[in-house]
Amino acid sequence: MTLELIWFLLWGVLWAVYFVLDGYDLGLGTIFPFFAKSEREKRVLYNAVAPFWDGNEVWLIAAGGITFAAFPRAYAIMFSALYAPLFIILFALIMRAASFEFRSKVDSDGWRKMWDVFQFLGNFVPALLFGVAFANIFQGIPFDADGVYYGSILKLLNVYGIIGGLFFVINFSMHGSLWLSMKSDGEIHDRAIVYAKRLWPFTVALAVAFLAATGFYTDLFVNYQKNGMLLVVPAIGVTALLMVRIFLAGGRNHLAWISNAISIFFVIMFGIIGMFPKLLPSSLDPAASVTIFNGASSTLTLQIMLGVVAVIIPLVLLYQLWAVKLLMHVVDDEVLDSDESY
Amino acid sequence: MDVVMLSRIQFAVTIFFHFIFVPLTLGLSILLAIMETMYVRTGNEMYKRMVKFWGKLFIINFTLGVVTGITLEFQFGTNWSRYSEYVGDIFGSLLAIEASTSFFLESTFIAVWFFGWKKVSKKVHLMCIWIVALAANMSAFWIIMANAFMQNPIGYKLVNGKPQLDDFIAVITNQYGIGIYAHTLTSSWMVGGLFVMGISAWHLARKNEVELFKSSFKMASVFFFIFSLGTAAAGHHQGQIAAEYQPAKLAAMESHWETGTNVPMYLLTWPNSTNTGNVVQALPIPDALSILAYNNPDAEVIGLNDIPKEDRPPVLPVFISFRLMVALGSFFPILGFALFFWRKKIEEKTFVLKVLPWLIPLPYIGIMLGWAVTEMGRQPWIVYSMLRTSDAASPIEASMVVWSIIAFTIIYSFLGVLDIYLLRKYAIKGPK
């Protein structure tokens, strides 16, 4: 039981880390067409995330892999039920990757414009659909005890799903603006901060709407009513989001980004903890829900995987942090003129 | 068509497309690491320009390898949910280990390597590319060990009708997997070798950067020759493993129907279309199949007639793929030897220089054919003798799969064309 509980939390943590990290890529790509006008500005935005998007995306692969390894039944039903949105997300991520790699390789305006469209869609669409998908998972999706799904992509676009999607899009956009403020200087840097400041009230409004809708459409708060101590998780999420504005006012942009990262992490964990012990609630038949009791792998698999993850994930965090520090320089003319820039 | 067939088509399309990029990543990463080692050891700037030139091609190729891989990981869930639930306990953990041990290393250190020329010392920079090469080649190990469980399931116990992990060491030392791994690595390294030689030849024919490309060529010729022999040896071993663990696959590879000893190999063979026998069978080499499969002319080789019809793989495509692969696999050591032999005066062999760029696709084709044999030869099983492919697909609408196949085909064709265009463009452009 303890082992399953640890894995349940780890499962949530991996998804949360993915959203913290890829969130800023997805967000920066979302504001891309509104923010970047000149060719130089566009290149600054591309190069602000170019060294990082791949490393960030691996957290998605890790989260998917861990879902498969620790909770195969959840993996099987989650991805077959969400077939259409998942493939749309994957197609978008493929085109996003290609836009980074291919855009700078041919000197033609039409070519660059085409990849700029894919850069936007490749980031905006996953941001939106991840939000829609997770909101739907929080409120339960219609599948029976055999794992057969009875919904459709249109049914995912319900009120709560849309609030979740918008919340992801706007929060990630702010997250990306904050990232850009750290990776740029001059006018772009200043405007990135203006963007973050303008997006902040919308993020707060959507966070409030999301929490209220969560109470209305889902059972997530039941766990929090049972154990009031757990309320500290959403409380940290909300506090960190409020702190973003304070740090921004004080000109401490790094702290503002970190604060928003903490906020994203705890908002995801708020949902995950609220679902416990379910990984995938069924809205059709509560008994069909995938839980840590009926969905977990064998004890031996969970033990071995825990050993692997306990050693590897801290190491990954260390060397990724080293790489980020190394490549955290401002994207200035010198960077843009170098061979390695996009 | 039903969901099973459609999902098989989709999986074939996506994995073949993914595997256009993977072998070059595996092979070229090692060659890059060797080139950069030469640079750090000698301090010769020519090697640095060499690394940068091949590195650019490497990155164009690498990116598509990464993103087309993500789709595959999720496709087990989207299209093969019954399978995923059945084998998740074992198969899923190998996939998770692959992601957490290899993909993080690859993605992080390739970024430092590519963007960090001025940020880290020469030695740290060199370390980065070695880590990328090792991590890429290690990732192949985990995914192939996962595949090996489908070929030769071991290290499990059945609990409530499902395989549950019993012996992790057995799972990751699966002989079937070790065999495939050796065959995959050696053939992928061959891809890297011929890729470098083919592009070098193009430039040598035009007397561009002769020193740089001759040096690249020499390195790659040694690499290609050694691993063309390695591929042949590993391939032979692979056949013997099939004989031991999947007699139906071996029989399909050879289109061999009658169980017996002292089995010959027919040079001229053609299976019929009903999966029941051969139309043509002539020019026997006595005892050859018995010797190839078991190193013993008296060995008994099981024929397809002794395998129930519903348990037979589709013989015709397996047989054709196998013969073509063997033809290529026999050609490569000859080509490898010739190129190795000529490496010091290759710029004089104008005909060879002209032909060589056109040969770059051949090892790729060989690898694709090999996987077609391995995977189609395992049919009708998704997990050999345990779970049928027909019982493994997701309970989803066929129309959804049609829709995703169409989308995949459009997107992948588009990217494939652009990728080849860009590789060609930057290969021809040469080092600045």
Side-chain angles (χ1 to χ4, degrees), chain B residues 287-355:
Chain B
D287 302 342
L289 187 53
S290 287
I291 294 173
L292 279 175
Y294 296 101
N295 302 322
N296 174 8
D298 299 326
E300 185 186 72
V301 185
I302 296 170
L304 287 160
N305 285 338
D306 280 353
I307 290 158
K309 199 158 183 247
E310 69 274 15
D311 290 349
R312 282 179 206 160
V315 179
L316 187 66
V318 174
F319 168 79
I320 296 173
S321 307
F322 180 68
R323 285 263 159 131
L324 287 174
M325 178 191 73
V326 170
L328 285 170
S330 315
F331 168 66
F332 292 138
I334 302 168
L335 177 71
F337 177 74
L339 295 172
F340 173 75
F341 185 74
W342 289 328
R343 73 192 184 285
K344 286 183 180 150
K345 46 182 185 329
I346 190 68
E347 67 276 19
E348 297 162 20
K349 310 278 173 206
T350 46
F351 176 72
V352 177
L353 294 181
K354 268 190 192 133
V355 174

Side-chain angles (χ1 to χ4, degrees), chain B residues 347-426:
Chain B
E347 67 276 19
E348 297 162 20
K349 310 278 173 206
T350 46
F351 176 72
V352 177
L353 294 181
K354 268 190 192 133
V355 174
L356 220 43
W358 298 99
L359 301 189
I360 291 175
L362 291 184
Y364 285 98
I365 295 170
I367 287 181
M368 302 294 176
L369 292 167
W371 276 111
V373 171
T374 306
E375 299 299 286
M376 278 197 286
R378 192 193 58 233
Q379 302 301 329
W381 305 100
I382 192 163
V383 182
Y384 194 65
S385 283
M386 284 179 77
L387 182 68
R388 281 176 192 273
T389 309
S390 53
D391 297 330
S394 303
I396 48 175
E397 304 274 338
S399 61
M400 300 254 276
V401 191
V402 171
W403 173 90
S404 55
I405 290 178
I406 293 171
F408 266 121
T409 311
I410 294 170
I411 292 173
Y412 279 8
S413 314
F414 178 68
L415 291 177
V417 168
L418 292 186
D419 196 69
I420 290 169
Y421 164 75
L422 288 177
L423 280 174
R424 189 173 169 277
K425 177 181 154 148
Y426 281 90

Side-chain angles (χ1 to χ4, degrees), chain A residues 19-301:
Chain A
F19 288 125
V20 166
L21 292 178
D22 216 23
Y24 71 81
D25 308 353
L26 298 175
L28 195 54
T30 302
I31 62 166
F32 176 87
F34 312 101
F35 192 100
K37 299 299 175 202
S38 68
E39 174 60 13
R40 185 181 183 279
E41 285 173 10
K42 287 178 183 171
R43 289 190 60 212
V44 170
L45 263 68
Y46 274 101
N47 284 289
V49 288
F52 310 111
W53 69 265
D54 186 10
N56 294 342
E57 208 171 89
V58 175
W59 287 93
L60 172 63
I61 309 181
I66 288 298
T67 313
F68 197 172
F71 303 103
R73 187 173 163 75
Y75 170 84
I77 298 177
M78 189 167 152
F79 294 148
S80 60
L82 300 176
Y83 190 95
L86 188 69
F87 272 118
I88 294 171
I89 287 175
L90 292 175
F91 293 142
L93 291 177
I94 288 173
M95 294 316 282
R96 160 176 95 148
S99 76
F100 279 114
E101 197 44 52
F102 288 177
R103 182 184 187 271
S104 63
K105 298 287 185 294
V106 175
D107 187 16
S108 135
D109 281 340
W111 173 269
R112 280 189 288 262
K113 268 189 192 134
M114 174 179 80
W115 291 114
D116 290 346
V117 172
F118 287 129
Q119 169 72 9
F120 168 67
L121 291 176
N123 284 297
F124 166 72
V125 171
L128 180 71
L129 289 186
F130 271 128
V132 171
F134 268 79
N136 274 283
I137 289 171
F138 291 161
Q139 70 178 345
I141 51 176
F143 64 90
D144 64 16
D146 282 333
V148 180
Y149 175 64
Y150 294 94
S152 71
I153 191 163
L154 286 175
K155 283 189 192 149
L156 294 176
L157 297 174
N158 49 54
V159 176
Y160 185 60
I162 290 171
I163 294 176
L166 288 178
F167 176 52
F168 268 44
V169 169
I170 298 298
N171 190 2
F172 288 173
S173 295
M174 182 173 78
H175 206 40
S177 307
L178 290 168
W179 181 264
L180 180 61
S181 77
M182 297 189 277
K183 287 288 287 179
S184 59
D185 55 7
E187 197 269 330
I188 298 182
H189 165 86
D190 297 343
R191 199 143 47 88
I193 290 174
V194 172
Y195 260 67
K197 282 180 181 163
R198 283 196 190 146
L199 284 164
W200 184 81
F202 292 99
T203 311
V204 173
L206 278 162
V208 171
F210 184 70
L211 283 175
T214 300
F216 191 72
Y217 289 105
T218 77
D219 301 331
L220 294 192
F221 279 109
V222 173
N223 278 344
Y224 293 91
Q225 280 159 4
K226 275 192 220 151
N227 187 346
M229 283 292 284
L230 289 174
L231 280 168
V232 80
V233 172
I236 293 175
V238 171
T239 312
L241 183 57
L242 297 176
M243 291 295 286
V244 169
R245 190 66 185 82
I246 295 170
F247 286 130
L248 269 177
R252 311 183 73 169
N253 309 323
H254 286 67
L255 289 176
W257 185 87
I258 292 169
S259 202
N260 198 48
I262 293 171
S263 173
I264 293 174
F265 184 89
F266 279 89
V267 167
I268 300 292
M269 289 313 286
F270 155 73
I272 302 281
I273 291 169
M275 284 200 298
F276 181 85
K278 294 174 191 161
L279 294 115
L280 201 56
S282 168
S283 59
L284 209 62
D285 171 11
S289 301
V290 186
T291 67
I292 64 166
F293 306 110
N294 69 16
S297 281
S298 67
T299 307
L300 183 60
T301 296

Side-chain angles (χ1 to χ4, degrees), chain B residues 199-214:
Chain B
I199 291 168
S200 299
W202 194 91
H203 286 285
L204 288 172
R206 285 157 186 79
K207 310 235 179 306
N208 288 344
E209 301 267 0
V210 173
E211 192 202 357
L212 187 150
F213 283 113
K214 214 181 147 182

Side-chain angles (χ1 to χ4, degrees), chain B residues 109-171:
Chain B
F109 285 92
I110 194 72
V112 175
W113 182 78
F114 187 75
F115 293 99
W117 279 98
K118 292 181 196 118
K119 299 278 170 188
V120 291
S121 70
K122 271 188 187 176
K123 282 199 175 142
V124 173
H125 197 264
L126 175 64
M127 181 196 76
C128 289
I129 191 69
W130 274 112
I131 290 177
V132 170
L134 273 168
N137 282 278
M138 273 309 291
S139 78
F141 175 80
W142 296 109
I143 191 67
I144 284 172
M145 283 305 156
N147 178 268
F149 188 80
M150 305 164 79
Q151 308 286 351
N152 173 37
I154 50 169
Y156 68 90
K157 56 177 186 236
L158 280 179
V159 179
N160 301 328
K162 267 190 219 167
Q164 215 174 65
L165 186 63
D166 188 39
D167 183 351
F168 185 68
I169 300 298
V171 169

Side-chain angles (χ1 to χ4, degrees), chain B residues 219-334:
Chain B
M219 244 182 249
S221 71
V222 178
F223 204 69
F224 181 80
F225 181 41
I226 294 175
F227 296 118
S228 64
L229 295 173
T231 302
H236 173 59
H237 177 62
Q238 187 68 36
Q240 298 199 327
I241 292 176
E244 189 180 341
Y245 297 105
Q246 287 186 29
K249 183 187 277 179
L250 180 85
M253 281 150 64
E254 297 290 355
S255 196
H256 164 60
W257 296 88
E258 284 303 324
T259 303
T261 58
N262 300 86
V263 182
M265 196 171 131
Y266 294 94
L267 287 180
L268 218 60
T269 307
W270 196 260
N272 66 23
S273 53
T274 51
N275 230 25
T276 50
N278 286 339
V279 192
V280 183
Q281 187 166 295
L283 304 177
I285 308 174
D287 302 342
L289 187 53
S290 287
I291 294 173
L292 279 175
Y294 296 101
N295 302 322
N296 174 8
D298 299 326
E300 185 186 72
V301 185
I302 296 170
L304 287 160
N305 285 338
D306 280 353
I307 290 158
K309 199 158 183 247
E310 69 274 15
D311 290 349
R312 282 179 206 160
V315 179
L316 187 66
V318 174
F319 168 79
I320 296 173
S321 307
F322 180 68
R323 285 263 159 131
L324 287 174
M325 178 191 73
V326 170
L328 285 170
S330 315
F331 168 66
F332 292 138
I334 302 168

